[in-house]
């Protein structure tokens, strides 16, 4: 090179970032493949109870979908367990028990009981299921109407 020669410089700003993909209705395997196809990696997988989402379906991602990430970064996911957590409602008034269990996707069966002393609010005396159970389970609540 001589003084005064023209030099052309090329520079790179690096690889373009990619968007965290949509996860709607995808299985963990399908979402993992979608991540890998654009250069992202699967991060931490957490299983959570959900009353609606089928088992092993992605229900949440972090960072959120649409966020830009550099290739090689990880995306954490939450997947559905296919189960729902049913709290104990024994001793609660019938209306409270209905409200607590209404969003759980259960088949609710209410059974009146007459062999008890009537109390205000029709208290729940027994329930058939408590804790983690399959989605759509049949929950039977017995409530006191008195004799």
């Amino acid at each position: 090179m001589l003084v005064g020669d023209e030099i052309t410089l090329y520079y790179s700003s690096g690889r373009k970032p990619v968007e965290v993909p949509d996860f709607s209705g995808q299985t963990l395997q399908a979402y993992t493949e979608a991540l890998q196809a654009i250069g992202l990696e699967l991060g931490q997988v957490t299983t959570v109870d959900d009353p609606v989402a089928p088992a092993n379906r992605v229900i949440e991602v972090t960072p959120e979908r649409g966020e830009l990430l550099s290739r090689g970064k990880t995306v954490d996911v939450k997947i559905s367990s296919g189960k729902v957590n049913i709290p104990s409602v024994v001793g609660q008034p019938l209306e409270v028990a209905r409200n607590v269990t209404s969003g759980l996707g259960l088949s609710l069966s209410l059974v009146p009981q007459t062999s008890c002393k009537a109390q205000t609010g029709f208290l729940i005396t027994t329930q058939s299921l408590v804790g983690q159970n399959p989605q759509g389970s049949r929950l039977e609540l017995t409530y006191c109407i008195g004799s």
Side-chain angles (χ1 to χ4, degrees):
M1 292 197 126
L2 300 173
V3 174
D5 282 353
E6 190 173 300
I7 299 174
T8 304
L9 294 175
Y10 296 95
Y11 69 94
S12 171
S13 58
R15 297 175 86 177
K16 288 186 178 181
V18 293
E19 284 188 18
V20 174
D22 185 19
F23 57 86
S24 302
Q26 292 191 37
T27 64
L28 179 60
Q29 181 177 344
Y31 194 69
T32 301
E33 291 169 2
L35 290 174
Q36 292 171 342
I38 61 172
L40 297 176
E41 298 295 325
L42 180 65
Q44 181 178 356
V45 177
T46 306
T47 303
V48 296
D49 294 339
D50 185 274
V52 180
N56 204 38
R57 299 291 174 156
V58 178
I59 56 176
E60 187 179 322
V61 297
T62 305
E64 294 182 13
R65 73 175 184 199
E67 284 195 39
L68 296 175
L69 294 179
S70 302
R71 285 175 170 79
K73 295 291 183 181
T74 61
V75 176
D76 296 334
V77 300
K78 288 186 180 178
I79 60 170
S80 174
S81 66
K83 297 183 179 184
V84 63
N85 190 29
I86 304 171
S88 174
V89 292
V90 172
Q92 298 291 323
L94 177 59
E95 199 57 37
V96 171
R98 282 177 134 167
N99 289 338
V100 167
T101 59
S102 67
L104 300 179
L106 301 169
S107 172
L108 185 60
S109 174
L110 300 173
V111 179
Q113 178 185 21
T114 57
S115 62
C116 56
K117 182 180 175 189
Q119 297 181 24
T120 305
F122 305 115
L123 299 182
I124 303 299
T125 57
T126 62
Q127 76 182 77
S128 60
L129 302 171
V130 178
Q132 197 178 52
N133 287 274
Q135 295 166 333
S137 292
R138 183 173 182 271
L139 174 61
E140 186 174 287
L141 297 178
T142 304
Y143 63 98
C144 178
I145 61 171
S147 50

